[in-house]
Amino acid sequence: LKQIGATKTGGQGTRQAGIDAVLATLAGWGVPTAGLVINDGSGLDRGNRLTCGAILAVLDHVGPTGPLFDGLPVSGADVGTLAEELNSDVLAGTGTDGRIHAKTGSLTGAKALSGFFDLADGRKVAFSMLINDADAATRGRFLWAAMASGLKDLASSVSPAAIALPGA
């Protein structure tokens, strides 16, 4: 974060300069920044706050091609936390192996899953789920399974707007 601050401001390698640069970049991309709180660059500060809307706007901005998309783990194909979160018990019978490209995030009391899903017609839709709850680990597994089950049935005629949650 300090390096971003130094690069964007021409020398101020401070945490605040980095935060300001990140927020300015997001605003320039059209990402809604209301409600965002960035206290550090590691993502481990419990005061950090993101919204699903902000994450979706970033995913829409970068799109389902390029380095970010290419670097996302793929369900049923990669090892790591995505494989642990979307294991065979969660994805059993959903037909979503290889169709979810996503990043997980976990802290005690918080879980996240955001990325892209391949629709039957080849289009990719962005999704983001954030859980802040003492029982986030259990709720996460339930929500990830429900998501996988729901996504498997999406027909090629479904528009991304039709599956968006209000206020997301």
Side-chain angles (χ1 to χ4, degrees), residues 58-85:
V58 168
L59 291 173
D60 285 341
H61 177 79
V62 299
T65 60
L68 184 124
F69 179 81
D70 293 343
L72 290 173
V74 178
S75 62
D78 292 319
V79 297
T81 56
L82 184 68
E84 293 167 15
E85 292 292 328

Side-chain angles (χ1 to χ4, degrees), residues 23-50:
L23 290 173
T25 298
L26 292 175
W29 291 356
V31 173
T33 58
L36 300 187
V37 178
I38 302 172
N39 291 327
D40 73 348
S42 73
L44 297 175
D45 187 298
R46 294 200 178 277
N48 289 335
R49 293 288 181 261
L50 294 177

Side-chain angles (χ1 to χ4, degrees), residues 10-160:
Q12 290 184 330
T14 67
R15 183 178 53 81
Q16 190 58 54
I19 291 168
D20 293 344
V22 167
L23 290 173
T25 298
L26 292 175
W29 291 356
V31 173
T33 58
L36 300 187
V37 178
I38 302 172
N39 291 327
D40 73 348
S42 73
L44 297 175
D45 187 298
R46 294 200 178 277
N48 289 335
R49 293 288 181 261
L50 294 177
T51 64
C52 289
I55 294 171
L56 287 172
V58 168
L59 291 173
D60 285 341
H61 177 79
V62 299
T65 60
L68 184 124
F69 179 81
D70 293 343
L72 290 173
V74 178
S75 62
D78 292 319
V79 297
T81 56
L82 184 68
E84 293 167 15
E85 292 292 328
L86 298 180
N87 62 36
S88 59
D89 292 339
V90 174
L91 295 181
T94 65
T96 55
D97 276 353
R99 296 177 67 193
I100 300 171
H101 309 258
K103 176 73 180 96
T104 64
S106 297
L107 289 173
T108 301
K111 303 250 338 146
L113 181 65
S114 300
F116 295 93
F117 179 75
D118 299 338
L119 293 174
D121 66 359
R123 288 179 299 150
K124 294 171 180 20
V125 292
F127 68 90
S128 182
M129 293 185 285
L130 305 175
I131 304 168
N132 289 302
D133 184 283
D135 197 23
T138 301
R139 292 180 192 276
R141 289 217 178 257
F142 171 78
L143 287 174
W144 306 169
M147 176 202 69
S149 180
L151 289 174
K152 76 176 172 78
D153 295 326
L154 290 179
S156 60
S157 62
V158 173
S159 72

